[in-house]
């Protein structure tokens, strides 16, 4: 029996606000590592803020603060107290409050990244919270995962398949993953990466920068 994925929140008007980027995916896929890489790579050219989601802790926010990828006050943590998808799709109030707090404190911002807690293939962001969505998989689940589909895989604006360096160790065929991802996603982009080998997540960062630069908001700060 499938969950109800109807989005009853309306996307807010731009009004010069920052682009809101949701980053979701299963536990251990590399979401926090990707957010850290994006902050390192884009922090000098974009005005950033980050909101993390964990069920009962602030672990992901604490990791980012310790890593020094952004000024600590630009990283806020939401403790969802429930399944992660609830706080990013159904009851988004806590995340909206955190995003608006960052924009009030440090605005105007160019980009606010909202990282979901680890969730399954059905996890998607409400368009009332995220303007663009990245869904992160990793190869450790095997090359069958993209063809399983699910709203996260099929509907995200960008699918990132991470930890490609592990493919030989788990007998995952990256060509199969690329083929199956294209089959379920149509013309929506898919990027393969290994943040362990490319700490800047260069291809993903380039895609995010393009989204931010084309977003109709106050001009991006000069690098």
């Amino acid at each position: 029996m499938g969950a109800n994925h109807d989005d009853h929140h309306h996307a807010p008007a731009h009004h010069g606000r920052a682009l809101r980027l949701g980053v979701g995916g299963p536990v251990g896929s590399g979401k926090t590592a990707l957010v850290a890489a994006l902050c390192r790579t884009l922090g000098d050219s974009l005005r950033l803020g980050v909101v993390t989601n964990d069920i009962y802790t602030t672990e992901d926010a604490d990791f980012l603060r310790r890593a020094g990828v952004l000024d600590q006050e630009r990283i806020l943590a939401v403790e969802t107290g429930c399944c992660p998808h609830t706080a990013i799709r159904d009851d988004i109030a806590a995340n909206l409050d955190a995003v608006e707090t960052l924009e009030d404190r440090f605005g105007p911002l160019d980009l606010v990244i909202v990282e979901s807690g680890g969730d399954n293939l059905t996890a998607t962001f409400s368009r009332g919270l995220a303007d663009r969505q990245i869904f992160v998989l990793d190869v450790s689940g095997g090359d069958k995962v993209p063809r399983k589909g699910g709203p996260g895989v099929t509907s995200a604006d960008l699918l990132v398949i991470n930890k490609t360096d592990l493919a030989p160790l788990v007998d995952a065929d990256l060509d199969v993953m690329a083929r199956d991802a294209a089959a379920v996603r149509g013309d929506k982009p898919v990027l393969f990466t290994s943040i362990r080998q490319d700490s800047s997540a260069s291809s993903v960062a380039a895609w995010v920068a393009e989204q931010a630069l084309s977003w109709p908001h106050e001009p991006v700060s000069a690098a």
Side-chain angles (χ1 to χ4, degrees):
M1 187 165 60
N4 180 5
H5 298 287
D6 291 341
D7 186 354
H8 56 274
H9 301 285
H10 298 292
H14 297 163
H15 292 312
R17 64 172 174 79
L19 174 71
R20 299 172 183 178
L21 173 69
V23 178
V27 173
S29 59
K31 297 182 299 298
T32 306
L34 176 60
V35 172
L38 293 175
C39 290
R40 281 193 297 265
T41 306
L42 301 175
D44 288 338
S45 58
L46 298 178
R47 300 165 293 190
L48 298 179
V50 173
V51 177
T52 67
N53 283 248
D54 282 298
I55 297 178
Y56 297 120
T57 70
T58 60
E59 183 172 342
D60 289 342
D62 294 338
F63 170 85
L64 294 172
R65 290 169 182 145
R66 288 194 304 271
V69 297
L70 210 60
D71 290 345
Q72 293 193 9
E73 292 184 356
R74 289 178 176 263
I75 303 168
L76 296 183
V78 170
E79 294 183 48
T80 65
C82 58
C83 291
H85 62 256
T86 300
I88 64 168
R89 187 177 66 229
D90 304 320
D91 183 4
I92 62 175
N95 274 290
L96 282 179
D97 287 346
V99 170
E100 290 169 1
T101 294
L102 288 171
E103 292 187 305
D104 288 343
R105 288 181 183 173
F106 301 106
L109 296 176
D110 302 314
L111 176 66
V112 178
I113 302 172
V114 181
E115 180 195 346
S116 173
D119 213 328
N120 57 33
L121 300 181
T122 68
T124 57
F125 284 77
S126 166
R127 290 294 177 179
L129 175 61
D131 305 298
R132 302 286 186 274
Q133 305 180 33
I134 294 176
F135 197 78
V136 185
L137 296 177
D138 74 277
V139 304
S140 63
D143 53 29
K144 66 183 181 295
V145 177
R147 67 175 170 266
K148 288 179 176 288
V153 172
T154 61
S155 66
D157 298 289
L158 174 67
L159 177 65
V160 172
I161 298 178
N162 187 29
K163 303 183 184 179
T164 54
D165 55 303
L166 298 181
L169 303 179
V170 296
D171 293 324
D173 188 324
L174 298 181
D175 290 334
V176 168
M177 298 185 84
R179 180 200 68 199
D180 292 346
V184 298
R185 287 180 54 78
D187 60 359
K188 292 191 286 293
V190 180
L191 293 175
F192 286 78
T193 190
S194 168
I195 297 172
R196 181 178 180 183
Q197 295 177 326
D198 177 13
S199 61
S200 65
S202 53
S203 61
V204 183
W207 183 88
V208 173
E210 181 181 2
Q211 304 304 307
L213 289 168
S214 63
W215 183 250
H217 67 339
E218 295 191 22
V220 175
S221 303

